[in-house]
Amino acid sequence: MKNTVFSTWASVIIIALILAYLLIRLFKLENWLRAVRLVLSLPRPPAVPVFGNVLMVKNCTEFLDFLINSNRYYGLLTGAWISVIPIVVIIDPEHARKILLNTKETQKNFIYTFMDTFLGHGLLTTSGTKWRTHRKLIQPFFHLNTLNLFINTFAESSEILVQELRGKSEVKMSTFINVVVLKILHRALMGIPVHDHDTQAISPFNKGHLVVLQRLTRPWYILDNIYKFSSISKYESTQRLTLKEFAKKILDERRANVGKGEWCLLDSLIKVSETNPHFDDKNIVDEICTFMLAGQDSVGSATSFTLYNLAKHPEIQQNVVDELDAVFRDYGGINGESLNKMVYLEQCIKETLRLYPSVPVISKKLVEDVQLGKYTLPKGLNVLISLIGMQRLEDYYQNPNKFDPERFAPGNQKGLNQNAFIPFSAGPRNCVANKFALMEMKAIIAMVLRHFKITLPPDYQLQLRYRVTLRARGGIRLRLQPREQSDLRQ
């Protein structure tokens, strides 16, 4: 009798579990079907069966053209497909604001999931409670008073860059910029001195490479059980192991030498881990890897594009140099006060980020239905927000493709729609390190322009490419002409 009762209850439990699983699957299927119906109702680029629009994504030129001009081709809401995954592309600032400023919109979508294998679970890829906790713990590191501690690192690293550029008449400037940015990150995040050439040389962060697009453009690799057997997955896993082993080695060294050397982010994370048992070494390593990889790509790109714009527009470059002359005369060099006074240079950086945002498109997964005009975007939908297209809309920027730093002059900013300029994203998931990045870029660009007049080689034509961040195909090449000492008015 007891066996019969037990068997009956076991059957009920099993049936209940099966029904629960089917209901969950049905609910997800219902959301997918709603998303499919929405995309089919929207204007959209031609798609290929099974592949969807991944062939367009694979073609950098075509994809960037789509991101910049989708409103002209298809309107403010555009449907698209990544294989069988329905996507909606957003280019309207008001639509973007409604999604980004919603405090519930902290869910990562499948594109960020693809980064987990490489980055681990840091701020960029996590969601929900873990993301909120980590953000709260890390945020204080990027307060202005803390950032001022790294100004000497910005200045010292920029001086090294100047020394390396001396005697050169034409360089691939983006390569040099990437090196100096990496030096700064090694020092600020892991405490590795900028003059520690041996450690810098063996650092695997010199070669870190995301393979998200390679996976995204092969629909069969969307499935983890297939992807894990691919050569791309093996390469990514090897990279991940190398990066994490290096970060763990530095972590162990910092913990063994607490209080020695200059303070860095790693020291703060170690301190956090001592009072927060859930923030263990794995979390520390994941966050360090995230900041190292995301920081070098985004800042390196923005700095190089700013120098390109200044080389292309000599009259604007001269305005920056005139400002630097006055700032250096009053404050003597790179410090907190001088960086704060580089107002026109900051305008040039912002205008560059408007035209060439380091991350030209950001992605979100909706955690609830969102109403945009006459369309209801269903829960679970993956959306792409085209920053590079939004920030070039004629409705918000007169002559939008022109490089014009005056757009961001103090007297003109009131006329700008702040929702139409979000190179660091917006809302709760905006870039936590945006102030750090801006100070870093100012210091590097100021030191270059104090010592060199920069121009474009006659045969150089900028061609954009996209690999999660925006790049210049073949790098950015510049000509250098040393400034006479008499030109440096201090």
Side-chain angles (χ1 to χ4, degrees), residues 430-444:
N430 72 328
C431 176
V432 69
N434 61 80
K435 292 179 181 177
F436 180 97
L438 190 57
M439 293 171 67
E440 183 181 2
M441 286 187 277
K442 280 185 177 182
I444 295 170

PDB file of all heavy atoms in Angstrom, residues 430-444:
ATOM      1  N   ASN A 430      25.190  52.428 -18.068  1.00  0.00           N
ATOM      2  CA  ASN A 430      26.151  53.251 -18.797  1.00  0.00           C
ATOM      3  C   ASN A 430      27.572  52.869 -18.387  1.00  0.00           C
ATOM      4  O   ASN A 430      27.781  52.155 -17.403  1.00  0.00           O
ATOM      5  CB  ASN A 430      25.898  54.735 -18.546  1.00  0.00           C
ATOM      6  CG  ASN A 430      26.297  55.163 -17.140  1.00  0.00           C
ATOM      7  OD1 ASN A 430      26.199  54.382 -16.199  1.00  0.00           O
ATOM      8  ND2 ASN A 430      26.722  56.380 -16.977  1.00  0.00           N
ATOM      9  N   CYS A 431      28.553  53.347 -19.151  1.00  0.00           N
ATOM     10  CA  CYS A 431      29.954  52.981 -18.903  1.00  0.00           C
ATOM     11  C   CYS A 431      30.405  53.541 -17.556  1.00  0.00           C
ATOM     12  O   CYS A 431      30.415  54.762 -17.348  1.00  0.00           O
ATOM     13  CB  CYS A 431      30.837  53.516 -20.029  1.00  0.00           C
ATOM     14  SG  CYS A 431      32.600  53.228 -19.754  1.00  0.00           S
ATOM     15  N   VAL A 432      30.804  52.673 -16.653  1.00  0.00           N
ATOM     16  CA  VAL A 432      31.208  53.092 -15.317  1.00  0.00           C
ATOM     17  C   VAL A 432      32.521  53.866 -15.345  1.00  0.00           C
ATOM     18  O   VAL A 432      32.826  54.645 -14.438  1.00  0.00           O
ATOM     19  CB  VAL A 432      31.324  51.859 -14.386  1.00  0.00           C
ATOM     20  CG1 VAL A 432      32.505  50.987 -14.780  1.00  0.00           C
ATOM     21  CG2 VAL A 432      31.423  52.266 -12.927  1.00  0.00           C
ATOM     22  N   ALA A 433      33.313  53.693 -16.409  1.00  0.00           N
ATOM     23  CA  ALA A 433      34.658  54.284 -16.475  1.00  0.00           C
ATOM     24  C   ALA A 433      34.735  55.463 -17.443  1.00  0.00           C
ATOM     25  O   ALA A 433      35.820  55.803 -17.900  1.00  0.00           O
ATOM     26  CB  ALA A 433      35.670  53.220 -16.876  1.00  0.00           C
ATOM     27  N   ASN A 434      33.618  56.125 -17.745  1.00  0.00           N
ATOM     28  CA  ASN A 434      33.655  57.173 -18.774  1.00  0.00           C
ATOM     29  C   ASN A 434      34.516  58.370 -18.369  1.00  0.00           C
ATOM     30  O   ASN A 434      35.192  58.953 -19.206  1.00  0.00           O
ATOM     31  CB  ASN A 434      32.234  57.609 -19.149  1.00  0.00           C
ATOM     32  CG  ASN A 434      31.457  58.179 -17.985  1.00  0.00           C
ATOM     33  OD1 ASN A 434      31.612  59.321 -17.599  1.00  0.00           O
ATOM     34  ND2 ASN A 434      30.590  57.367 -17.411  1.00  0.00           N
ATOM     35  N   LYS A 435      34.520  58.749 -17.089  1.00  0.00           N
ATOM     36  CA  LYS A 435      35.355  59.880 -16.649  1.00  0.00           C
ATOM     37  C   LYS A 435      36.836  59.513 -16.732  1.00  0.00           C
ATOM     38  O   LYS A 435      37.672  60.340 -17.119  1.00  0.00           O
ATOM     39  CB  LYS A 435      34.978  60.293 -15.229  1.00  0.00           C
ATOM     40  CG  LYS A 435      33.600  60.917 -15.111  1.00  0.00           C
ATOM     41  CD  LYS A 435      33.276  61.284 -13.671  1.00  0.00           C
ATOM     42  CE  LYS A 435      31.884  61.887 -13.558  1.00  0.00           C
ATOM     43  NZ  LYS A 435      31.527  62.187 -12.139  1.00  0.00           N
ATOM     44  N   PHE A 436      37.150  58.302 -16.334  1.00  0.00           N
ATOM     45  CA  PHE A 436      38.522  57.806 -16.443  1.00  0.00           C
ATOM     46  C   PHE A 436      38.988  57.886 -17.896  1.00  0.00           C
ATOM     47  O   PHE A 436      40.085  58.372 -18.195  1.00  0.00           O
ATOM     48  CB  PHE A 436      38.574  56.365 -15.938  1.00  0.00           C
ATOM     49  CG  PHE A 436      39.924  55.707 -15.993  1.00  0.00           C
ATOM     50  CD1 PHE A 436      40.743  55.668 -14.886  1.00  0.00           C
ATOM     51  CD2 PHE A 436      40.375  55.102 -17.171  1.00  0.00           C
ATOM     52  CE1 PHE A 436      41.985  55.050 -14.934  1.00  0.00           C
ATOM     53  CE2 PHE A 436      41.613  54.491 -17.236  1.00  0.00           C
ATOM     54  CZ  PHE A 436      42.418  54.457 -16.107  1.00  0.00           C
ATOM     55  N   ALA A 437      38.145  57.410 -18.808  1.00  0.00           N
ATOM     56  CA  ALA A 437      38.492  57.389 -20.231  1.00  0.00           C
ATOM     57  C   ALA A 437      38.722  58.794 -20.767  1.00  0.00           C
ATOM     58  O   ALA A 437      39.672  59.039 -21.521  1.00  0.00           O
ATOM     59  CB  ALA A 437      37.389  56.685 -21.020  1.00  0.00           C
ATOM     60  N   LEU A 438      37.856  59.744 -20.398  1.00  0.00           N
ATOM     61  CA  LEU A 438      37.983  61.105 -20.904  1.00  0.00           C
ATOM     62  C   LEU A 438      39.261  61.770 -20.417  1.00  0.00           C
ATOM     63  O   LEU A 438      39.968  62.431 -21.190  1.00  0.00           O
ATOM     64  CB  LEU A 438      36.758  61.925 -20.475  1.00  0.00           C
ATOM     65  CG  LEU A 438      36.603  63.304 -21.106  1.00  0.00           C
ATOM     66  CD1 LEU A 438      36.557  63.211 -22.628  1.00  0.00           C
ATOM     67  CD2 LEU A 438      35.333  63.992 -20.588  1.00  0.00           C
ATOM     68  N   MET A 439      39.590  61.586 -19.151  1.00  0.00           N
ATOM     69  CA  MET A 439      40.827  62.156 -18.617  1.00  0.00           C
ATOM     70  C   MET A 439      42.049  61.541 -19.297  1.00  0.00           C
ATOM     71  O   MET A 439      43.019  62.244 -19.636  1.00  0.00           O
ATOM     72  CB  MET A 439      40.894  61.921 -17.108  1.00  0.00           C
ATOM     73  CG  MET A 439      39.844  62.681 -16.307  1.00  0.00           C
ATOM     74  SD  MET A 439      39.789  62.174 -14.564  1.00  0.00           S
ATOM     75  CE  MET A 439      41.377  62.766 -13.977  1.00  0.00           C
ATOM     76  N   GLU A 440      42.002  60.251 -19.497  1.00  0.00           N
ATOM     77  CA  GLU A 440      43.093  59.524 -20.151  1.00  0.00           C
ATOM     78  C   GLU A 440      43.315  60.039 -21.570  1.00  0.00           C
ATOM     79  O   GLU A 440      44.446  60.312 -21.990  1.00  0.00           O
ATOM     80  CB  GLU A 440      42.728  58.043 -20.153  1.00  0.00           C
ATOM     81  CG  GLU A 440      43.747  57.101 -20.726  1.00  0.00           C
ATOM     82  CD  GLU A 440      43.260  55.662 -20.703  1.00  0.00           C
ATOM     83  OE1 GLU A 440      42.110  55.405 -20.284  1.00  0.00           O
ATOM     84  OE2 GLU A 440      44.028  54.790 -21.139  1.00  0.00           O
ATOM     85  N   MET A 441      42.223  60.188 -22.324  1.00  0.00           N
ATOM     86  CA  MET A 441      42.325  60.669 -23.704  1.00  0.00           C
ATOM     87  C   MET A 441      42.871  62.084 -23.760  1.00  0.00           C
ATOM     88  O   MET A 441      43.712  62.408 -24.607  1.00  0.00           O
ATOM     89  CB  MET A 441      40.954  60.589 -24.385  1.00  0.00           C
ATOM     90  CG  MET A 441      40.524  59.183 -24.736  1.00  0.00           C
ATOM     91  SD  MET A 441      38.998  59.146 -25.717  1.00  0.00           S
ATOM     92  CE  MET A 441      37.767  59.264 -24.431  1.00  0.00           C
ATOM     93  N   LYS A 442      42.411  62.938 -22.882  1.00  0.00           N
ATOM     94  CA  LYS A 442      42.903  64.327 -22.850  1.00  0.00           C
ATOM     95  C   LYS A 442      44.414  64.360 -22.642  1.00  0.00           C
ATOM     96  O   LYS A 442      45.136  65.089 -23.337  1.00  0.00           O
ATOM     97  CB  LYS A 442      42.218  65.108 -21.722  1.00  0.00           C
ATOM     98  CG  LYS A 442      40.828  65.606 -22.021  1.00  0.00           C
ATOM     99  CD  LYS A 442      40.348  66.463 -20.843  1.00  0.00           C
ATOM    100  CE  LYS A 442      38.996  67.072 -21.087  1.00  0.00           C
ATOM    101  NZ  LYS A 442      38.586  67.935 -19.948  1.00  0.00           N
ATOM    102  N   ALA A 443      44.895  63.585 -21.681  1.00  0.00           N
ATOM    103  CA  ALA A 443      46.322  63.599 -21.365  1.00  0.00           C
ATOM    104  C   ALA A 443      47.156  63.126 -22.553  1.00  0.00           C
ATOM    105  O   ALA A 443      48.170  63.748 -22.908  1.00  0.00           O
ATOM    106  CB  ALA A 443      46.596  62.715 -20.148  1.00  0.00           C
ATOM    107  N   ILE A 444      46.735  62.049 -23.195  1.00  0.00           N
ATOM    108  CA  ILE A 444      47.496  61.500 -24.328  1.00  0.00           C
ATOM    109  C   ILE A 444      47.513  62.481 -25.496  1.00  0.00           C
ATOM    110  O   ILE A 444      48.578  62.782 -26.066  1.00  0.00           O
ATOM    111  CB  ILE A 444      46.896  60.152 -24.772  1.00  0.00           C
ATOM    112  CG1 ILE A 444      47.042  59.107 -23.665  1.00  0.00           C
ATOM    113  CG2 ILE A 444      47.570  59.656 -26.054  1.00  0.00           C
ATOM    114  CD1 ILE A 444      46.280  57.830 -23.931  1.00  0.00           C
TER     115      ILE A 444
END
